[in-house]
Every structure is written in C-alpha cells, then in structure tokens.
Amino acid sequence: MDPKEERTEHRQARLNRLSRREALRLLGIGVGGAALLTACGDNTATTAPAATTAASGGAAATTAASAATTAAGGSATTAAAGGASATKASGKVVVASPRDPTGTIKKIIADYNSKNTGITIDYQELPQDSTENKNKYTTVFAAKDPSIDVLASDIPWVPEFGSAGWLLPLDKYVTPDLKDQFYEGTIQGATYKDKLYGLPWYINVGMLYYRKDILDAAGVKPPETYADLEQAAAKLQKDGLYGFIFGAFQNEGLSANWLEILWGYGGEFWDPKTAEVTVNKGDNGVKALQWWFDNIYTRKISPDKVTGWKSPDIRNVFNEGNAVFMRDWADGYALTQANTSKVAGKVGIKPMVHAEGQKASGCLGNWYMAISNFSKNQDAAWEIVKYLTGPEGSKARALGTGLPPGNKEAYKDAELLAKYPYFGFLNDVLSTAKPRPVTPAYNQLSSDVIQVQVANVLSKKTSPQDAVKAMVDKGQPLLSKFK
C-alpha cells in the first residue's frame, strides 16, 4: 500500500470510530445543518402546476471510503451487465424523498407495489424543505444506519455523499445502453472520480424565456448571442416593461446563473482533472461579470432591483407581463401558462444566449435516485432506482408533477407531450446543459467564493478583475483538498 492510500485508509478508519457530532464537524456540515444552499436558487416551494425548485446544500465531505457493503436481506447478486439479476432480487426497499404536494410519488409507489414483483417499496416521505432533507440524510448516513435504501438526492449532494462513502457506486449495474437514456450533462453531475453515484429522476435547467407576442409584433427574432439580447431588450423595453430580468439575490441561484454566463463566453470555473481554478484563464471570467454589471448600470436593460430578486420574484414580474426576457429554471414554465398568468400562450423558451462563436450551456438542477452504501438490500434497491428513473417511472412522475423527466425516452411519449407540450422544446436546452463543479467542495465554493464575489461586483464593491482574482485566491484552497 502506498503512503497516500495508507493515509486515506487511516483517515476513514478514524472517521468510522468518531461520534456522530465529531463526524459532522469533520465533514464541515455542522449539527444544525448551517450554511445549506438551494441548488436552483431559492429553497422556495412552488405547488402545482410547477413543482418545488430543487434545493441544495452541503459542505465538503471526506475522502472516498472503501468498496460497497455486500448486499443482503433477501436480495440476490446482480449481474454486471445492465442490471439484469442473475437471480431475482426481492424484499423490502425503503425509498426516501421530499414530500410531493401533488401526491404523484405515492401513486407511483402504490402502482409498483401492486405489480407483485417480489420487491415492496416502503415510502419514507421527508419534509419538503431541502435543508431538513439533508440533515436527515446526514444523521442517518453518518451513523451508517441502513434504514434508508434509496434516496432522492439533489445534484450538489451526490459528490459530497459519494466522497464520504455514503453512496453505492452504480457502475456495476449501469451499461452503456442504459446510460444513453440520459442526457450527458446529467450523468456528469452524478459522476465523481470516475464513479457514477446516481441516475437522474427529474431535471431542472436554466434557460431564456421571452415574450413571443412582443417579439413578433416588432419583427424581432429570438436572440442567440449576448449582443442580440442586449439590442432586443433595449429596443423593446419601455416604462413598466423591463428588458431582461434574472435572479441576482445572493444565494445558490446567483452562482448557477452566473456560471451560465461564464460558460457562454467559453470559460470554465475549474478543471476537474487537476482541481485547478481556471476562471482567470483568458478574460472570460471578467467578461461574464462585466456583462451582468453593464446590463444593470450601463445598458440599463435590467433594473437594479434584480440584486434582491429570487426566482419567485422574477416569475411574478414576468407572469404579470412586465418583462420581455427572463432567465429562469424550466420548472417555472408551467406557471407562465397557469390561469393566473397574464402571459399564458405568449411565452417562448430557448437555450440561454452566448457570446459570438460560442455555445450556450444551461445550468442543471437535477434530483437523482441513489442507493445507500449501508443498505442491506442493494440489488433490490437497484431494481427500484432503475424503475423510477426509467421510461415508465419518469413518465408517470412527469405526468403528475409537470417537472421535466430525467429519462430521454420519456420526451418521445405522445401522452406526455400532449399534456406538457413545452417538453418538446427542452431537448435543445438539455442536450447542451452542464452541472456545476462536481466536487465535495462545491457548497463552500459557491457560498463563500462565487456568490460573494459576484454580489460584490453587482453592488459596486469591487471590480470584475479583482473579483476574479479573489475567486482564484479563495477558491483554489477549497478545491485542492479534494485532488
């Protein structure tokens, strides 16, 4: 054993001996679950027709643990090829997920249990608040408690929980053909150090909303580039009608939104192979900060109020008919078509704009189905993950909630497209969508570095150049812990 492996093993053994409080302290999580963030920006529940905005959290976790525990409790060994069981898996599988206000999850589980497959799902409904969810998972997994087999996990939790040894790698179950059922970016978001820890259950992604009626009347095409958006917004805005709005409140949504702008300039915040901060390579980081700043203070196509607006705020403004363009998440589309919306039937959606010669990449806000490393029925748990994230399970969830399904096959379903036609527009957005930095350090990187520096620029406290330098100086030590 080389010295690095020996240190890792000793560190994990020490963690295994710690009390829960000590373990949480070393993981940087805190018993009270402080400093948790929302993945899609706001930690605000939105009932049907739109569903809860995905939420995140999590501080850096420890280095990866050793191999997964052996499946037991009535489950048989699962063949490596494609999840086909060598002998049939059976027994009870406990599935934990946040409360679904539409009741769809309970219906899906009842339907599955009625099929008499030999596996029974015991549904554990968690609070809708993501902070409480994460605290629950932390308590259970830090104690190596096997009481949860399958969990719904927000996208930033996957590398954190995986690196701590709390999630079972799914690579032995997932074949290339099965992996192809999902968008590439969603698979990347659940892959840490070449191990896949979850499959997408449903998707949220950032995109550009626009008023089709206003653009059509003015003979303006939907914008493709930053320059296109600037010109169209300036031309079409007027008193009581903002040109372009976005959520710039200092929370996780700020990080997600700004990363899209950085990607649209061809930049990257980090290099996952080296864990090096790259936001200062070239001038893309500065340009991304400057673009937002200029939209507010120079071009004045965005009101300075955006620095205090979250997703619910911008949705209210847009759905009241008071903005031409809006950057928002996909789960907000159903609200634009609700009976209470003044813009129903007048809204178009498309991938976010980008710099000339570059490509747009929407930021992903997925929720995944993952398996506890401490489950005593892992093969049966896999069968449930495969069902819930497969075409049938994805379709059923999307039909009931209106949230975009995680499985690409569901987007071909005529019944689903008839009920939610906007799913047909999402392929272009999802095909180029990307996850935020997939690292256990992301939570702290976002809350202590990205959010702070972007907010400092938008509040005129610092220049884009100084903000980029601070991102490197403060971000590199965090990422270096997990090389």
Side-chain angles (χ1 to χ4, degrees):
M1 180 181 296
D2 67 37
K4 183 176 180 181
E5 292 176 330
E6 187 173 10
R7 287 196 300 272
T8 299
E9 184 172 289
H10 287 170
R11 184 180 181 187
Q12 184 63 39
R14 178 169 174 261
L15 178 61
N16 293 344
R17 296 193 298 269
L18 292 175
S19 68
R20 172 178 171 268
R21 181 177 294 271
E22 291 172 310
L24 295 178
R25 177 179 59 79
L26 286 179
L27 291 172
I29 294 170
V31 176
L36 297 176
L37 302 171
T38 59
C40 290
D42 303 301
N43 199 21
T44 304
T46 305
T47 55
T52 306
T53 300
S56 85
T62 57
T63 54
S66 57
T69 55
T70 303
S75 173
T77 302
T78 301
S85 297
T87 57
K88 188 173 179 63
S90 63
K92 183 180 75 171
V93 173
V94 177
V95 175
S97 77
R99 184 179 70 85
D100 168 23
T102 71
T104 299
I105 297 173
K106 289 183 177 179
K107 292 177 182 177
I108 293 173
I109 288 173
D111 180 65
Y112 181 88
N113 286 340
S114 72
K115 297 178 186 296
N116 297 317
T117 64
I119 302 174
T120 301
I121 300 176
D122 183 357
Y123 180 46
Q124 185 177 132
E125 187 176 68
L126 302 180
Q128 201 167 353
D129 180 78
S130 290
T131 297
E132 294 182 52
N133 293 169
K134 184 131 185 284
N135 286 345
K136 170 69 173 180
Y137 292 148
T138 298
T139 300
V140 170
F141 298 143
K144 296 187 177 180
D145 184 340
S147 61
I148 293 175
D149 297 297
V150 173
L151 63 146
S153 174
D154 195 8
I155 186 170
W157 306 348
V158 175
E160 179 186 342
F161 289 178
S163 73
W166 293 352
L167 300 182
L168 176 72
L170 302 181
D171 304 274
K172 68 176 181 177
Y173 298 114
V174 179
T175 64
D177 286 344
L178 180 59
K179 192 178 289 188
D180 284 344
Q181 292 184 19
F182 305 94
Y183 289 98
E184 182 179 355
T186 65
I187 293 297
Q188 291 174 355
T191 303
Y192 177 66
K193 291 194 173 180
D194 298 323
K195 292 182 179 179
L196 178 65
Y197 287 102
L199 290 180
W201 195 22
Y202 66 89
I203 297 176
N204 218 355
V205 63
M207 58 190 185
L208 185 69
Y209 290 67
Y210 61 93
R211 287 283 301 277
K212 291 191 299 183
D213 57 326
I214 294 176
L215 268 64
D216 288 347
V220 175
K221 294 181 179 179
E224 295 294 329
T225 67
Y226 293 136
D228 292 341
L229 178 59
E230 296 162 16
Q231 294 167 10
K235 177 179 179 178
L236 300 174
Q237 69 179 359
K238 58 184 179 181
D239 288 344
L241 186 67
Y242 299 120
F244 172 51
I245 60 174
F246 55 95
F249 180 81
Q250 188 176 331
N251 63 5
E252 178 56 22
L254 184 65
S255 293
N257 291 7
W258 181 73
L259 284 170
E260 288 179 348
I261 307 304
L262 175 65
W263 296 334
Y265 271 109
E268 291 288 349
F269 190 87
W270 76 317
D271 181 343
K273 294 181 180 179
T274 63
E276 178 188 6
V277 176
T278 58
V279 70
N280 61 331
K281 303 301 181 183
D283 57 0
N284 295 318
V286 171
K287 285 181 177 178
L289 289 166
Q290 192 70 51
W291 189 72
W292 259 4
F293 182 91
D294 288 342
N295 285 341
I296 298 171
Y297 301 109
T298 306
R299 287 183 284 269
K300 297 186 177 180
I301 58 174
S302 303
D304 57 11
K305 297 176 185 177
V306 297
T307 59
W309 283 352
K310 306 176 185 177
S311 273
D313 303 311
I314 62 173
R315 290 173 179 180
N316 288 339
V317 172
F318 190 81
N319 294 341
E320 282 293 312
N322 296 325
V324 182
F325 298 102
M326 172 180 70
R327 184 276 176 202
D328 194 23
W329 299 92
D331 70 349
Y333 183 82
L335 288 177
T336 70
Q337 305 306 304
N339 292 335
T340 55
S341 172
K342 295 180 181 179
V343 297
K346 303 175 181 178
V347 178
I349 55 176
K350 65 178 300 296
M352 189 56 185
V353 290
H354 53 84
E356 190 72 39
Q358 300 295 333
K359 295 181 179 180
S361 294
C363 185
L364 288 166
N366 304 344
W367 277 70
Y368 291 86
M369 298 307 292
I371 298 174
S372 166
N373 214 6
F374 312 113
S375 166
K376 295 186 180 298
N377 202 0
Q378 291 176 353
D379 288 344
W382 163 247
E383 294 300 323
I384 299 307
V385 168
K386 186 168 63 171
Y387 175 78
L388 292 176
T389 62
E392 184 179 351
S394 288
K395 174 186 173 180
R397 195 182 196 288
L399 278 173
T401 65
L403 284 170
N407 195 294
K408 287 194 294 188
E409 297 300 311
Y411 290 89
K412 303 174 185 177
D413 187 87
E415 182 184 7
L416 193 57
L417 291 174
K419 185 171 183 179
Y420 300 107
Y422 88 99
F423 286 173
F425 295 102
L426 288 180
N427 185 67
D428 289 345
V429 181
L430 293 171
S431 295
T432 58
K434 296 168 62 170
R436 282 153 277 187
V438 184
T439 167
Y442 179 74
N443 179 73
Q444 193 174 0
L445 186 69
S446 173
S447 62
D448 295 353
V449 180
I450 298 176
Q451 292 177 36
V452 172
Q453 296 307 320
V454 175
N456 282 346
V457 171
L458 297 186
S459 61
K460 301 182 178 181
K461 292 180 181 178
T462 190
S463 69
Q465 291 80 3
D466 288 342
V468 167
K469 183 178 184 302
M471 287 181 183
V472 177
D473 293 343
K474 298 178 183 296
Q476 190 59 65
L478 299 177
L479 287 173
S480 294
K481 294 178 182 179
F482 296 96
K483 282 188 176 180

